[in-house]
Amino acid sequence: MRCNAKNERWMPMVIRGVTGYFSDVRIDRKTVPKWLQFWELADGDSDGIPCRYKKGILVNFYGTFITRGVLPIDCMEWQEGFIADDEWEFLEKSSMEYSEMERVELCRMRKGM
């Protein structure tokens, strides 16, 4: 079952230098605005460390990452990217409501950031 993005809490996160927001649940892509890119993350062997991302993850789901930035694609055939252990981190210790995250990002868009 997929959840509505607007009902979840989001943790600021950076992956490969791209800032975005993370949720540990499967999000219904239709509930994410088109101006945000949508990625699902997988961990290697259910070890709790994200190791790859693509538009849809079936096995070893780790969470959902949304961003205005562009993540690089390493494997064109599968349309996925890979994350080394030192290429990701949570930026804060607390999560935020979707409405707060959206307000921050829309403000950044208006300022040209």
Side-chain angles (χ1 to χ4, degrees):
M1 183 171 142
R2 294 190 177 266
C3 300
N4 186 326
K6 294 171 179 68
N7 297 335
E8 298 304 318
R9 296 191 61 84
W10 294 89
M11 179 73 73
M13 180 184 206
V14 64
I15 297 175
R16 296 180 72 178
V18 177
T19 303
Y21 301 89
F22 171 83
S23 174
D24 63 356
V25 299
R26 288 189 186 268
I27 298 294
D28 183 345
R29 186 182 323 253
K30 291 179 267 180
T31 66
V32 176
K34 300 278 188 233
W35 55 270
L36 288 170
Q37 289 201 30
F38 178 97
W39 297 94
E40 290 185 337
L41 309 178
D43 63 357
D45 292 313
S46 298
D47 58 4
I49 299 172
C51 67
R52 64 188 176 96
Y53 52 87
K54 62 189 295 185
K55 298 296 182 180
I57 295 289
L58 296 176
V59 178
N60 293 349
F61 178 82
Y62 180 79
T64 302
F65 183 72
I66 56 177
T67 180
R68 286 191 307 125
V70 177
L71 289 172
I73 300 295
D74 298 311
C75 176
M76 294 307 288
E77 179 181 1
W78 298 103
Q79 292 292 297
E80 67 183 333
F82 301 99
I83 309 167
D85 289 347
D86 63 348
E87 292 183 316
W88 73 279
E89 67 178 311
F90 291 111
L91 298 175
E92 295 179 21
K93 297 211 184 294
S94 61
S95 60
M96 60 179 69
E97 297 286 335
Y98 177 88
S99 58
E100 182 182 358
M101 179 274 300
E102 186 175 52
R103 203 170 32 254
V104 167
E105 289 305 311
L106 289 172
C107 183
R108 286 182 179 157
M109 284 173 54
R110 287 186 197 106
K111 291 180 180 179
M113 297 172 72

